[in-house]
Amino acid sequence: HEGNNIADTRAQDPPSGEKYSCEYGSRKFYALCGFGGVLSCGLTHTAVVPLDLVKCCMQVDPQKYKGIFNGFSVTLKEDGFCGLAKGWAPTFIGYSLQGLCKFGFYEVFKVLYSNMLGEENAYLWRTSLYLAASASAEFFADIALAPMEAAKVRIQTQPGFSNTLRDAAPKMYKEEGLKAFYKGVAPLWMRQIPYTMMKFACFERTVANSVVSVLNKEKGSSVWKGLLARIIMIGTLTALQWFIYDSVKVYFRLPRPPPPEMPVSEEEAWVHSVDK
């Protein structure tokens, strides 16, 4: 299976008869996928900044912020409505960069690993392919996110430190140097890589098999402060991200890879076993 075959076989006319705007696997394709990631992650995470703020405060000071509604109430009382937007700038910048790498590199690694495996193995190991491609993409995405995530956390959870990114970033650099922006990258990898692997693999298999995914309900104890807020936030974010990302693909008429099909050798073996 040669590298160019994927782009050649998948850059077909869409059902509507309109031409695709680019070839699958081309630079323009990857660039537009990255742009879709910028919008899907940057906009959604910025939209839920108030909930993220309350979640972080509950984790840092559970005695003061006793719950979601109490957290909103305390924040409004102390800082007003503007207080709910603390950290919006690093959130927007950081998660836009993360989305660029997450979705853009995912498509790159998916094609790269497919070509390395060959057509038959890419089909047989398709779930592992999705997991490997998404993990590789998230590794770089978290490196891009880490500096802004570090600044956001300082702004949201350290009273009196700073209320804006332009003040927080120089202060962090002055106090700790570059390590202030990257010392949280390992926890990010531990949190984001498994989540992204499941997110992309489940989405790909759900689309391919046309099945309805099951939402697992979780209950938290007093130890896991902010868990409910995070469940609400991540569930909302994930749904909105796929909606925005797919809308970008439709708007720019990006080619879609066909669903994975059983290789001829496997199909013949299956038919032969059925005949027996």
Side-chain angles (χ1 to χ4, degrees), residues 16-221:
S16 62
E18 297 180 5
K19 294 289 184 181
Y20 285 126
S21 63
C22 59
E23 286 190 347
Y24 181 83
S26 65
R27 290 184 180 180
K28 183 178 179 180
F29 173 80
Y30 293 136
L32 289 174
C33 286
F35 176 67
V38 169
L39 294 182
S40 65
C41 291
L43 294 179
T44 53
H45 278 274
T46 304
V48 296
V49 161
L51 184 59
D52 184 44
L53 170 71
V54 171
K55 182 263 299 181
C56 290
C57 290
M58 289 170 60
Q59 292 173 330
V60 172
D61 192 352
Q63 298 301 317
K64 182 177 180 180
Y65 301 90
K66 296 179 172 58
I68 297 176
F69 294 107
N70 175 258
F72 276 106
S73 177
V74 171
T75 303
L76 286 170
K77 187 180 296 183
E78 293 185 351
D79 301 316
F81 281 100
C82 291
L84 292 174
K86 280 200 301 187
W88 75 268
T91 296
F92 177 72
I93 297 171
Y95 281 95
S96 292
L97 292 173
Q98 188 211 36
L100 173 68
C101 297
K102 184 200 297 273
F103 286 90
F105 284 170
Y106 172 70
E107 300 291 351
V108 172
F109 282 116
K110 188 166 65 169
V111 172
L112 175 65
Y113 295 159
S114 293
N115 292 338
M116 290 171 62
L117 289 171
E119 183 179 5
E120 185 166 330
N121 286 329
Y123 171 81
L124 295 174
W125 298 93
R126 57 194 182 280
T127 300
S128 298
L129 171 67
Y130 304 144
L131 292 171
S134 56
S136 301
E138 189 62 39
F139 176 84
F140 293 101
D142 289 339
I143 294 175
L145 168 64
M148 293 296 104
E149 180 73 1
K152 184 211 74 168
V153 172
R154 288 285 191 97
I155 292 170
Q156 290 183 337
T157 63
Q158 198 167 322
F161 181 78
S162 178
N163 288 326
T164 64
L165 175 62
R166 65 176 177 270
D167 291 334
K171 190 178 293 187
M172 292 170 64
Y173 182 77
K174 183 178 180 180
E175 291 179 356
E176 302 180 59
L178 285 176
K179 71 176 183 179
F181 299 99
Y182 288 99
K183 63 184 181 181
V185 71
L188 270 179
W189 282 330
M190 294 172 65
R191 183 187 79 188
Q192 289 293 124
I193 289 179
Y195 158 71
T196 299
M197 291 171 69
M198 294 302 103
K199 171 179 172 179
F200 278 88
C202 290
F203 179 80
E204 293 276 16
R205 292 307 299 261
T206 298
V207 170
N209 297 311
S210 300
V211 297
V212 179
S213 60
V214 178
L215 176 64
N216 293 320
K217 296 182 179 180
E218 299 184 43
K219 293 184 179 180
S221 67

